[in-house]
Amino acid sequence: MFDQARDLQGRLSVASKKVVSENGIAGVKFVMDLRGYRGGIPRPPLFPLTETAKTAITKITASLEPAAVANKA
């Protein structure tokens, strides 16, 4: 169980870095939209994400989905 927790923490750290550290508010809002919440676009002076950033975040989010479902059981 400890190994599973360490693996998940490592994956979450990568996701956190990509979403929050690299993309800030726009990244958080985009993930909210992906998860079915209302994130929207950031207010000026912040800019929305580029398509490249959206693609990268979508891939990371999709890679976490199986772990999130498996740990709910």
Side-chain angles (χ1 to χ4, degrees):
M1 184 156 174
F2 178 76
D3 292 333
Q4 285 178 314
R6 184 175 41 221
D7 177 56
L8 184 56
Q9 179 62 41
R11 292 168 56 199
L12 290 172
S13 295
V14 170
S16 176
K17 182 176 185 270
K18 178 59 80 179
V19 173
V20 181
S21 299
E22 294 179 15
N23 293 290
I25 296 297
V28 173
K29 286 178 165 278
F30 181 70
V31 171
M32 289 174 64
D33 287 335
L34 285 178
R35 301 297 298 148
Y37 298 100
R38 186 178 181 281
I41 58 172
R43 290 182 284 174
L46 302 176
F47 295 102
L49 293 179
T50 64
E51 290 303 315
T52 304
K54 287 180 182 180
T55 301
I57 290 173
T58 300
K59 285 181 184 177
I60 289 173
T61 303
S63 75
L64 292 175
E65 190 65 29
V69 172
N71 289 326
K72 285 183 180 178

